[in-house]
Amino acid sequence: MTFSHQIKIAPSILSADFADFGREIQAIEAQGADWVHVDVMDGHFVPNLTFGPPAVAAFRKHVKTVMDVHLMIAPVDPYIEAFASAGADIITAHVEAGPHIHRTLQAIRATGKKAGVALNPGTPADSVAHLLDLTDLVCVMTVNPGFGGQSFIDMTAKVRALRSMIGDRPIHIEIDGGVTPQTAPLVAAAGADVLVAGSAVFKGGSVANPAPYGANIRAIREAAERATGAQLA
Ligand code: DX5
Ligand code: ZN
């Protein structure tokens, strides 16, 4: 995984067909996904339940790009080793998940994986100021975590603050929640480079008819790249 600021689209398989994850992952990658985003929820930190380490290990067999595992669980630390062994490339934990996010990021890095830190909409950019040396990715939630298909909450001011705080460090800014071709330009212009999208990627398509996945991914990417001026470069 070499670092780049280019826009990356990370479909969330929370919006995939839950009876057919292997083929759904293959379909989104064939249709242009850069990363595969896996939303782990525990029914405690967030009011919904999704996948544990054995499911994530099963997804790994199909992911050829980057498996981006977003842990919406508390506590986090007892499960880091299991998600690392399951084959995550990036493990992201929430700053709100416990009192010792610094230790959590150290523990993620100790497994050899990339470490991400996620911020709920109500959490300020400053909460990661003393964590940047331990961080490969900051995930800015643009919905309250727990469900796909919610509407975008404008966090562009937070993204801008993070971009200037990060400076030239090799740290991704990821946006998660309500990303569409309409909202992507706002966050891309503010400095985000990884766009997670669930409903906006999977809508209109299926394993049997994957072309809409490709069109949806392209629409988000092109809108974001237009906003950063990348297509002119
Ligand atoms: C929300 C999850 C998101 C979600 C995004 O808790 O972290 O990854 O699946 O879904 P959309 O793009 O539908 O908002
Ligand atoms: Zn997520």
Side-chain angles (χ1 to χ4, degrees), residues 16-43:
D17 175 353
F18 270 42
D20 210 354
F21 281 119
R23 291 199 300 165
E24 288 278 44
I25 290 167
Q26 290 164 14
I28 52 174
E29 289 193 339
Q31 294 294 324
D34 298 288
W35 294 4
V36 175
H37 185 82
V38 178
D39 285 307
V40 174
M41 304 186 184
D42 67 351

Short mmCIF file of all heavy atoms in Angstrom, two decimals, residues 16-43:
data_model
loop_
_atom_site.label_atom_id
_atom_site.label_comp_id
_atom_site.label_asym_id
_atom_site.label_seq_id
_atom_site.Cartn_x
_atom_site.Cartn_y
_atom_site.Cartn_z
N ALA A 16 -24.29 -4.40 0.55
CA ALA A 16 -24.26 -5.54 -0.37
C ALA A 16 -25.34 -6.55 -0.01
O ALA A 16 -26.00 -6.44 1.03
CB ALA A 16 -22.88 -6.20 -0.30
N ASP A 17 -25.49 -7.57 -0.86
CA ASP A 17 -26.39 -8.69 -0.58
C ASP A 17 -25.71 -9.58 0.47
O ASP A 17 -24.68 -10.20 0.19
CB ASP A 17 -26.63 -9.46 -1.89
CG ASP A 17 -27.46 -10.72 -1.69
OD1 ASP A 17 -27.76 -11.09 -0.52
OD2 ASP A 17 -27.80 -11.35 -2.71
N PHE A 18 -26.29 -9.64 1.66
CA PHE A 18 -25.66 -10.36 2.77
C PHE A 18 -25.59 -11.87 2.54
O PHE A 18 -24.88 -12.57 3.27
CB PHE A 18 -26.40 -10.07 4.09
CG PHE A 18 -25.86 -8.86 4.83
CD1 PHE A 18 -25.50 -7.70 4.15
CD2 PHE A 18 -25.70 -8.88 6.22
CE1 PHE A 18 -24.99 -6.59 4.83
CE2 PHE A 18 -25.20 -7.78 6.91
CZ PHE A 18 -24.84 -6.64 6.21
N ALA A 19 -26.29 -12.39 1.54
CA ALA A 19 -26.19 -13.83 1.25
C ALA A 19 -25.13 -14.11 0.19
O ALA A 19 -24.94 -15.26 -0.19
CB ALA A 19 -27.55 -14.35 0.79
N ASP A 20 -24.42 -13.08 -0.28
CA ASP A 20 -23.53 -13.26 -1.43
C ASP A 20 -22.30 -12.36 -1.37
O ASP A 20 -21.91 -11.77 -2.39
CB ASP A 20 -24.34 -12.97 -2.71
CG ASP A 20 -23.84 -13.77 -3.90
OD1 ASP A 20 -22.81 -14.46 -3.78
OD2 ASP A 20 -24.49 -13.69 -4.96
N PHE A 21 -21.65 -12.27 -0.21
CA PHE A 21 -20.55 -11.31 -0.06
C PHE A 21 -19.38 -11.57 -1.00
O PHE A 21 -18.79 -10.62 -1.51
CB PHE A 21 -20.03 -11.31 1.38
CG PHE A 21 -20.90 -10.51 2.32
CD1 PHE A 21 -21.51 -11.11 3.40
CD2 PHE A 21 -21.09 -9.16 2.11
CE1 PHE A 21 -22.31 -10.38 4.27
CE2 PHE A 21 -21.88 -8.41 2.96
CZ PHE A 21 -22.50 -9.03 4.05
N GLY A 22 -19.03 -12.83 -1.22
CA GLY A 22 -17.87 -13.12 -2.07
C GLY A 22 -18.04 -12.51 -3.45
O GLY A 22 -17.16 -11.77 -3.95
N ARG A 23 -19.18 -12.79 -4.06
CA ARG A 23 -19.39 -12.28 -5.42
C ARG A 23 -19.63 -10.77 -5.43
O ARG A 23 -19.29 -10.09 -6.39
CB ARG A 23 -20.53 -13.04 -6.10
CG ARG A 23 -20.12 -14.50 -6.38
CD ARG A 23 -20.99 -15.14 -7.42
NE ARG A 23 -22.38 -15.16 -6.98
CZ ARG A 23 -23.41 -15.40 -7.79
NH1 ARG A 23 -23.21 -15.62 -9.08
NH2 ARG A 23 -24.64 -15.42 -7.31
N GLU A 24 -20.21 -10.24 -4.37
CA GLU A 24 -20.39 -8.78 -4.29
C GLU A 24 -19.03 -8.07 -4.24
O GLU A 24 -18.81 -7.06 -4.93
CB GLU A 24 -21.20 -8.40 -3.04
CG GLU A 24 -22.68 -8.77 -3.11
CD GLU A 24 -23.52 -7.74 -3.88
OE1 GLU A 24 -23.08 -7.29 -4.96
OE2 GLU A 24 -24.63 -7.42 -3.40
N ILE A 25 -18.10 -8.61 -3.45
CA ILE A 25 -16.76 -8.01 -3.36
C ILE A 25 -16.07 -8.08 -4.73
O ILE A 25 -15.49 -7.10 -5.21
CB ILE A 25 -15.93 -8.71 -2.26
CG1 ILE A 25 -16.49 -8.34 -0.88
CG2 ILE A 25 -14.45 -8.34 -2.36
CD1 ILE A 25 -15.97 -9.20 0.27
N GLN A 26 -16.15 -9.25 -5.38
CA GLN A 26 -15.54 -9.38 -6.70
C GLN A 26 -16.15 -8.38 -7.67
O GLN A 26 -15.46 -7.76 -8.49
CB GLN A 26 -15.73 -10.81 -7.22
CG GLN A 26 -14.89 -11.83 -6.46
CD GLN A 26 -15.36 -13.26 -6.69
OE1 GLN A 26 -16.13 -13.54 -7.61
NE2 GLN A 26 -14.91 -14.17 -5.85
N ALA A 27 -17.47 -8.20 -7.58
CA ALA A 27 -18.17 -7.29 -8.51
C ALA A 27 -17.73 -5.84 -8.30
O ALA A 27 -17.41 -5.15 -9.27
CB ALA A 27 -19.68 -7.43 -8.35
N ILE A 28 -17.67 -5.38 -7.05
CA ILE A 28 -17.30 -3.96 -6.86
C ILE A 28 -15.84 -3.72 -7.25
O ILE A 28 -15.52 -2.67 -7.81
CB ILE A 28 -17.59 -3.44 -5.42
CG1 ILE A 28 -16.99 -4.32 -4.36
CG2 ILE A 28 -19.09 -3.20 -5.22
CD1 ILE A 28 -17.11 -3.77 -2.94
N GLU A 29 -14.98 -4.69 -7.00
CA GLU A 29 -13.58 -4.51 -7.41
C GLU A 29 -13.46 -4.49 -8.94
O GLU A 29 -12.76 -3.65 -9.51
CB GLU A 29 -12.69 -5.58 -6.79
CG GLU A 29 -12.51 -5.38 -5.28
CD GLU A 29 -11.39 -6.21 -4.68
OE1 GLU A 29 -10.99 -7.23 -5.29
OE2 GLU A 29 -10.91 -5.85 -3.58
N ALA A 30 -14.19 -5.39 -9.59
CA ALA A 30 -14.16 -5.41 -11.07
C ALA A 30 -14.73 -4.11 -11.63
O ALA A 30 -14.38 -3.69 -12.73
CB ALA A 30 -14.94 -6.61 -11.60
N GLN A 31 -15.60 -3.46 -10.87
CA GLN A 31 -16.24 -2.23 -11.33
C GLN A 31 -15.50 -0.97 -10.87
O GLN A 31 -16.02 0.13 -10.98
CB GLN A 31 -17.70 -2.18 -10.86
CG GLN A 31 -18.59 -3.26 -11.48
CD GLN A 31 -18.76 -3.06 -12.99
OE1 GLN A 31 -18.83 -1.94 -13.48
NE2 GLN A 31 -18.82 -4.16 -13.72
N GLY A 32 -14.31 -1.14 -10.30
CA GLY A 32 -13.47 0.05 -10.06
C GLY A 32 -13.28 0.48 -8.62
O GLY A 32 -12.67 1.52 -8.37
N ALA A 33 -13.77 -0.31 -7.65
CA ALA A 33 -13.53 0.07 -6.25
C ALA A 33 -12.03 0.06 -5.96
O ALA A 33 -11.31 -0.83 -6.42
CB ALA A 33 -14.22 -0.93 -5.31
N ASP A 34 -11.56 1.04 -5.19
CA ASP A 34 -10.14 1.09 -4.82
C ASP A 34 -9.89 0.31 -3.54
O ASP A 34 -8.84 -0.33 -3.39
CB ASP A 34 -9.71 2.54 -4.62
CG ASP A 34 -9.86 3.35 -5.88
OD1 ASP A 34 -9.07 3.13 -6.81
OD2 ASP A 34 -10.78 4.18 -5.95
N TRP A 35 -10.80 0.43 -2.59
CA TRP A 35 -10.71 -0.28 -1.32
C TRP A 35 -12.08 -0.94 -1.06
O TRP A 35 -13.10 -0.53 -1.66
CB TRP A 35 -10.45 0.68 -0.14
CG TRP A 35 -9.13 1.40 -0.13
CD1 TRP A 35 -8.13 1.37 -1.06
CD2 TRP A 35 -8.67 2.28 0.92
NE1 TRP A 35 -7.09 2.17 -0.66
CE2 TRP A 35 -7.39 2.74 0.55
CE3 TRP A 35 -9.22 2.71 2.13
CZ2 TRP A 35 -6.64 3.61 1.35
CZ3 TRP A 35 -8.48 3.58 2.92
CH2 TRP A 35 -7.20 4.02 2.54
N VAL A 36 -12.10 -1.89 -0.13
CA VAL A 36 -13.38 -2.48 0.32
C VAL A 36 -13.53 -2.14 1.80
O VAL A 36 -12.66 -2.46 2.62
CB VAL A 36 -13.38 -4.01 0.10
CG1 VAL A 36 -14.65 -4.62 0.69
CG2 VAL A 36 -13.26 -4.33 -1.40
N HIS A 37 -14.64 -1.46 2.12
CA HIS A 37 -14.87 -0.97 3.49
C HIS A 37 -15.81 -1.93 4.22
O HIS A 37 -16.89 -2.26 3.74
CB HIS A 37 -15.49 0.43 3.40
CG HIS A 37 -15.69 1.12 4.71
ND1 HIS A 37 -14.67 1.82 5.34
CD2 HIS A 37 -16.78 1.27 5.50
CE1 HIS A 37 -15.14 2.36 6.47
NE2 HIS A 37 -16.42 2.04 6.60
N VAL A 38 -15.36 -2.38 5.40
CA VAL A 38 -16.12 -3.39 6.17
C VAL A 38 -16.53 -2.77 7.50
O VAL A 38 -15.68 -2.39 8.32
CB VAL A 38 -15.24 -4.64 6.40
CG1 VAL A 38 -15.99 -5.68 7.24
CG2 VAL A 38 -14.81 -5.26 5.06
N ASP A 39 -17.83 -2.65 7.72
CA ASP A 39 -18.37 -1.99 8.91
C ASP A 39 -18.68 -3.02 10.00
O ASP A 39 -19.64 -3.79 9.88
CB ASP A 39 -19.64 -1.23 8.53
CG ASP A 39 -19.33 0.04 7.77
OD1 ASP A 39 -18.51 0.85 8.28
OD2 ASP A 39 -19.87 0.23 6.67
N VAL A 40 -17.89 -2.99 11.06
CA VAL A 40 -18.07 -3.92 12.18
C VAL A 40 -18.82 -3.21 13.29
O VAL A 40 -18.36 -2.19 13.82
CB VAL A 40 -16.69 -4.42 12.67
CG1 VAL A 40 -16.85 -5.29 13.92
CG2 VAL A 40 -15.97 -5.19 11.57
N MET A 41 -19.98 -3.74 13.66
CA MET A 41 -20.85 -3.09 14.66
C MET A 41 -21.21 -4.10 15.75
O MET A 41 -21.44 -5.27 15.46
CB MET A 41 -22.13 -2.60 13.99
CG MET A 41 -21.88 -1.65 12.84
SD MET A 41 -23.41 -0.97 12.21
CE MET A 41 -22.80 -0.01 10.82
N ASP A 42 -21.29 -3.59 16.98
CA ASP A 42 -21.41 -4.50 18.13
C ASP A 42 -22.72 -4.42 18.91
O ASP A 42 -22.87 -5.08 19.95
CB ASP A 42 -20.24 -4.24 19.10
CG ASP A 42 -20.32 -2.86 19.77
OD1 ASP A 42 -21.17 -2.04 19.36
OD2 ASP A 42 -19.53 -2.63 20.71
N GLY A 43 -23.66 -3.59 18.48
CA GLY A 43 -24.93 -3.49 19.22
C GLY A 43 -24.79 -2.81 20.57
O GLY A 43 -25.69 -2.89 21.41
#
